Amino acid sequence: QVQLVESGGGLVQAGGSLRLSCAVSGRAFGHYTMGWFRQPPGKEREFLAAIRWSDGNRRYADSVKGRFTISRDKPKNEVYLQIDNLQSEDTAVYYCNAGPPQRPNVLPWGQGTQVTVSS
């Protein structure tokens, strides 16, 4: 079973940046694709970005291209989401998950990490 723990959220002013982290542990996650998602207040959870653990291949939701960057650190077993030029609409709980390439969200959801952007 793979376990995921998100961290790095906080209160940030509009225009600022944050790097979210997802610590990955467990067995046999080398074949997974890791994904970042968010759930704004009162809205559905949405896909943001994904990275294939094995070769770092990445893809993004159209809405976040250019401001969000996903990466991973194999020795540390961590996945990151860099968010630049934060906007109020980025306020949400951010989650990481994992799964097959087209569905990197098959594991139970964790607690996520709250990002609040003040204007």
Side-chain angles (χ1 to χ4, degrees):
Q1 183 71 15
V2 177
Q3 291 85 41
L4 306 167
V5 179
E6 305 94 341
S7 63
L11 176 62
V12 187
Q13 286 192 330
S17 297
L18 269 181
R19 189 178 80 158
L20 307 181
S21 299
C22 176
V24 187
S25 61
R27 300 179 64 181
F29 60 85
H31 63 289
Y32 276 152
T33 290
M34 313 301 297
W36 278 100
F37 301 79
R38 71 182 177 188
Q39 186 165 20
K43 296 185 179 180
E44 299 282 320
R45 186 149 33 205
E46 62 177 341
F47 167 77
L48 300 174
I51 187 167
R52 193 157 56 199
W53 187 264
S54 59
D55 63 4
N57 184 275
R58 311 172 192 186
R59 64 185 176 92
Y60 297 91
D62 288 342
S63 59
V64 304
K65 284 180 181 177
R67 289 197 304 122
F68 287 38
T69 304
I70 191 170
S71 61
R72 54 106 169 83
D73 187 322
K74 278 189 167 183
K76 291 185 178 180
N77 285 349
E78 293 187 344
V79 182
Y80 308 107
L81 186 69
Q82 175 75 30
I83 311 174
D84 296 317
N85 190 21
L86 279 154
Q87 306 297 313
S88 57
E89 56 264 33
D90 295 321
T91 294
V93 180
Y94 286 71
Y95 301 88
C96 63
N97 211 305
Q102 296 306 315
R103 195 183 168 214
N105 62 344
V106 298
L107 300 179
W109 293 101
Q111 293 188 330
T113 186
Q114 174 72 48
V115 172
T116 303
V117 183
S118 64
S119 56

